[in-house]
Amino acid sequence: MLSVYLLLVLVMAAGAFIAGRSRGKALAGDGTRLHSLPAYHGLFTASATIIPMVALLVLWGIAAPRLVEYFAIAALPADLQPADEMARGSVLRDIQMAADGFGEPSPALEAAGATYAAWRTGLDVGLLVLGGAFGLSGAWWARSRLGPLFRARNRFESVVKVVLIACSAVAILTTIGIVFSVLFETLRFFARYPVFDFLFGLQWSPQTAIREDQVGSSGAFGAVPLFAGTTLIMLIAMLVAGPIGLFSAIYMAEYASPRV
C-alpha cells in the first residue's frame, strides 16, 4: 500500500511540475518578463503537491494502525479482551494471522480478523482518495498563485530550506529520543538491580521470567564477564591490527616506490 501511495505522490508531483512549468512558459510567451524561470514555477507547484500528501501519510501512519487495532480488539468477546499490554500484543498477532488467512483461528478470532482486514482496507483506500484530494488542492492553490512577478524561485528555495531543517530536526530528535529511552530503561533496571552487583558481579545470566505464568530464574546481571570479553576482543584485534597497520604505514611512507 505504501508503494502505491508513493507512486501516486510521484505521478501527481510530475503532473503538477508540468502544469506549473507550462503556466510559466505561457506567461513568458506573451512577452512578459518573468521574475523566475518557468522551471521554478513547476518546482513550486510540485512542492505544493508533495508536502500535504507526505504530511497526510505521516499522520495516517501514526493514527491508522491504532484505529485498526482498536476496532479489531473491540470485536472480540469480553472474555478474550487483553488484560495488559503484553497480552494485547499477543492477541493482535493472532488477529493479524487470522486476517491474513494463516492457521485455524477460533470463530471469535476469525470475526476479529475480518474486522481488522476490513478496517485496514478501508483506511488504505481512504488514504489514496484523501491523499489525491490533498495533492490536487495543493497543486491548484500553487498554480493560482503563479504570475509574471511571482517569486517562484525564492518560494521554492524557502520550501527546500524548511525541508532540510525538518530533516535535521528529525535526526536530532531521534537521537534525543534514543538517549532518553536508554536512560529510562537504565533507571528502571537499576531500580530493581543494585549498581554494585552489576559493576562487580561475576555471573551474567539474564534468563528471567517476563510473565507471571512463566518459569524462570531471577537472573544474574554481573557485568564483569562482559567487560572481560570486550577487553579480550579488543586486545586480540589490536595484536592483529596494530603491527600490520603500523608496518604498512611505515612501508608506504618510507620504502614504497611512487608506483606502489
Side-chain angles (χ1 to χ4, degrees):
M1 180 58 199
L2 178 61
S3 59
V4 176
Y5 187 82
L6 292 178
L7 180 61
L8 177 64
V9 172
L10 292 176
V11 170
M12 294 194 66
F17 173 79
I18 294 173
R21 187 180 60 179
S22 300
R23 174 64 174 166
K25 290 182 177 180
L27 293 172
D30 297 337
T32 306
R33 183 175 181 180
L34 301 179
H35 174 274
S36 304
L37 295 174
Y40 282 107
H41 289 75
L43 290 172
F44 173 74
T45 309
S47 63
T49 304
I50 294 173
I51 290 175
M53 296 184 72
V54 172
L56 176 65
L57 178 62
V58 172
L59 294 176
W60 210 268
I62 296 173
R66 288 169 172 77
L67 284 174
V68 173
E69 293 171 1
Y70 171 79
F71 287 107
I73 291 179
L76 289 172
D79 57 334
L80 294 180
Q81 293 289 330
D84 52 27
E85 193 63 29
M86 188 168 295
R88 176 185 173 88
S90 178
V91 170
L92 280 174
R93 284 191 295 272
D94 294 338
I95 292 175
Q96 290 170 358
M97 291 181 64
D100 295 333
F102 295 108
E104 297 181 357
S106 63
L109 282 176
E110 189 173 357
T115 302
Y116 183 93
W119 273 95
R120 182 174 59 185
T121 302
L123 288 175
D124 287 345
V125 173
L127 174 62
L128 289 176
V129 174
L130 197 57
F134 274 36
L136 288 175
S137 299
W140 175 83
W141 173 82
R143 194 177 186 279
S144 65
R145 301 274 296 174
L146 301 180
L149 300 180
F150 182 72
R151 298 175 177 268
R153 177 175 62 84
N154 302 81
R155 294 295 183 88
F156 176 70
E157 290 176 350
S158 298
V159 170
V160 173
K161 184 184 297 184
V162 171
V163 171
L164 293 177
I165 292 174
C167 292
S168 302
V170 168
I172 295 172
L173 292 176
T174 301
T175 304
I176 294 175
I178 292 173
V179 171
F180 276 100
S181 175
V182 173
L183 178 62
F184 177 73
E185 295 299 329
T186 302
L187 294 176
R188 287 184 59 191
F189 173 76
F190 285 124
R192 301 178 59 182
Y193 199 83
V195 178
F196 183 86
D197 293 345
F198 172 76
L199 293 177
F200 300 102
L202 301 179
Q203 184 179 1
W204 176 264
S205 179
Q207 303 297 324
T208 60
I210 61 176
R211 295 199 307 266
E212 293 181 357
D213 59 341
Q214 287 183 325
V215 177
S217 63
S218 59
F221 301 95
V224 171
L226 301 181
F227 298 153
T230 303
T231 304
L232 179 62
I233 294 173
M234 177 192 68
L235 292 176
I236 294 174
M238 291 303 297
L239 287 175
V240 175
I244 294 178
L246 180 62
F247 294 154
S248 298
I250 294 174
Y251 172 75
M252 293 290 289
E254 303 295 338
Y255 299 101
S257 64
R259 181 185 180 89
V260 173

